[in-house]
Amino acid sequence: MIEAIKFWNEPNNLSHWDFEMDPEWREYAEMTRRAAVTVRALAPEIKLVLGGISPIDANFIRLLTGYGLMRELDAVGVHGFPLDWNHWQLDHWPDKVAEIEDVTDLPVWVTEVGVSTFGADEVQVFGLKRTTELLLDRVERVFWYSLYDLPPSWEATTRHRESEGSAYYRHFYMGLLRHDGTPKPALEHFDPEMGICQWFHFEDHRLEEAVGWLKQLGVKRLRTGISWADWHRPGALEWFDRQMRAIADFDVTLTLCFTPPSRGRRPCHTSPPIDLAEFSQFASEVVERYVKPTTRVRQVTAS
């Protein structure tokens, strides 16, 4: 079920990792290196992926390589949204992938790419079709973000929220489905050879409906996450057990991220943790609960 574990989400984006507290990313690199070593020892068949970087920055990969982190990983994740936020054109995708390939021997996975319908549904149709042409045969994994629009009553994970203007509100229009589950025109152009990235919030009411849509679309690969911060909530194991049972039929890339506020150097999900080893402990608990039982089932079936 779980084919890969991804360490953090956009670690070079201030909305996801506070690099003002960790200006040279030494703590991020050491935290991730320890977690990768831990997971490798427990589940050597799982691919280990660097949290999708955004912006796509070769110098950031060089920095982490210098810390020895890349030796512990199997792939580099990158995120790109050239029709919404990035300062480069859609047709530059192959060049952006090549920039990272030039500084690492690891394969590049595009673990988030998408186009919003903030301006018009037709923009997403064009963007999806062109992205498929540019990336599907170019990299090992591509995950379209996302299946659903973000409900308008929720918040997008950004630093300045509404003060970002239209850049903020674009976060709410990235789905192939509207927040009420009605399809957008781009849905009929989605190629299921591409995976889907769909984040599920704690006790997300869309879970079962989302799984139904993914199966209807013929999706085989799903990227989602388990929040370390949510892992500390009351009822967390019951919720994540339910989530992982629901997505058991997919090849899952599972992202582990978000510091529990009580365990951060400041009370925020972007903060470096007080004790870097606690992230490794969290990763080991996830593997023991959701990876190793599946491995044992496969071994018994094979025998």
Side-chain angles (χ1 to χ4, degrees), residues 3-297:
E3 73 161 357
I5 286 183
K6 193 160 175 273
F7 297 109
W8 222 259
N9 184 67
E10 301 184 0
N12 60 335
N13 182 331
L14 199 56
S15 292
H16 297 276
W17 181 262
D18 191 340
F19 52 80
E20 292 178 346
M21 298 180 69
D22 179 28
E24 296 180 337
W25 283 275
R26 292 182 184 275
E27 291 175 85
Y28 170 76
E30 179 60 15
M31 179 188 76
T32 302
R33 187 195 65 78
R34 292 185 189 187
V37 169
T38 297
V39 172
R40 182 83 73 196
L42 291 170
E45 74 280 6
I46 296 293
K47 291 188 180 295
L48 308 181
V49 185
L50 178 71
I53 61 172
S54 181
I56 297 173
D57 181 0
N59 287 329
F60 184 63
I61 300 303
R62 289 190 183 97
L63 179 69
L64 299 184
T65 300
Y67 294 146
L69 172 58
M70 310 309 285
R71 290 196 299 267
E72 309 298 340
L73 301 176
D74 300 305
V76 174
V78 301
H79 296 176
F81 303 90
L83 294 182
D84 286 285
W85 295 300
N86 295 133
H87 297 161
W88 43 274
Q89 294 187 341
L90 180 62
D91 283 347
H92 293 170
W93 255 120
D95 295 334
K96 302 306 287 187
V97 171
E99 286 178 20
I100 303 304
E101 291 174 333
D102 285 346
V103 296
T104 180
D105 293 330
L106 299 180
V108 174
W109 290 14
V110 179
T111 47
E112 276 188 34
V113 58
V115 179
S116 80
T117 54
F118 180 79
D121 287 349
E122 292 80 4
V123 175
Q124 188 181 57
V125 171
F126 163 75
L128 172 59
K129 292 168 70 174
R130 186 62 179 138
T131 299
T132 303
E133 294 170 355
L134 290 167
L135 290 179
L136 195 56
D137 295 327
R138 178 65 177 79
V139 294
E140 289 184 8
R141 297 287 184 273
V142 185
F143 294 89
W144 183 264
Y145 177 80
S146 63
L147 180 63
Y148 280 98
D149 279 352
L150 196 63
S153 60
W154 293 8
E155 290 185 344
T157 304
T158 70
R159 278 169 285 163
H160 305 301
R161 295 187 169 86
E162 289 86 350
S163 64
E164 297 173 6
S166 66
Y168 177 75
Y169 291 104
R170 288 173 183 271
H171 287 277
F172 292 83
Y173 295 91
M174 303 302 295
L176 297 171
L177 304 171
R178 296 179 177 87
H179 71 90
D180 62 2
T182 56
K184 298 181 185 179
L187 185 72
E188 65 183 69
H189 300 281
F190 178 76
D191 186 333
E193 288 302 308
M194 188 183 294
I196 287 277
C197 173
Q198 177 62 54
W199 293 94
F200 294 109
H201 289 226
F202 188 73
E203 298 182 341
D204 198 319
H205 66 280
R206 307 167 300 175
L207 177 62
E208 283 77 19
E209 184 182 80
V211 169
W213 269 109
L214 292 170
K215 290 182 176 181
Q216 182 177 328
L217 290 170
V219 171
K220 303 299 183 186
R221 297 189 179 96
L222 171 68
R223 178 184 166 229
T224 191
I226 290 183
S227 163
W228 184 21
D230 287 342
W231 194 256
H232 281 232
R233 288 186 187 225
L237 293 183
E238 290 82 359
W239 160 249
F240 286 119
D241 285 354
R242 177 184 159 200
Q243 173 185 296
M244 300 308 288
R245 282 194 302 268
I247 63 175
D249 292 335
F250 304 100
D251 293 328
V252 176
T253 292
L254 191 66
T255 304
L256 306 181
C257 60
F258 299 152
T259 307
S262 64
R263 304 309 305 148
R265 284 169 38 205
R266 66 181 181 91
C268 179
H269 70 277
T270 66
S271 172
I274 297 167
D275 181 353
L276 300 181
E278 290 186 10
F279 184 64
S280 299
Q281 179 60 36
F282 162 60
S284 71
E285 291 171 6
V286 170
V287 170
E288 291 282 2
R289 194 170 188 90
Y290 301 120
V291 177
K292 295 190 75 176
T294 308
T295 302
R296 286 193 287 272
V297 168

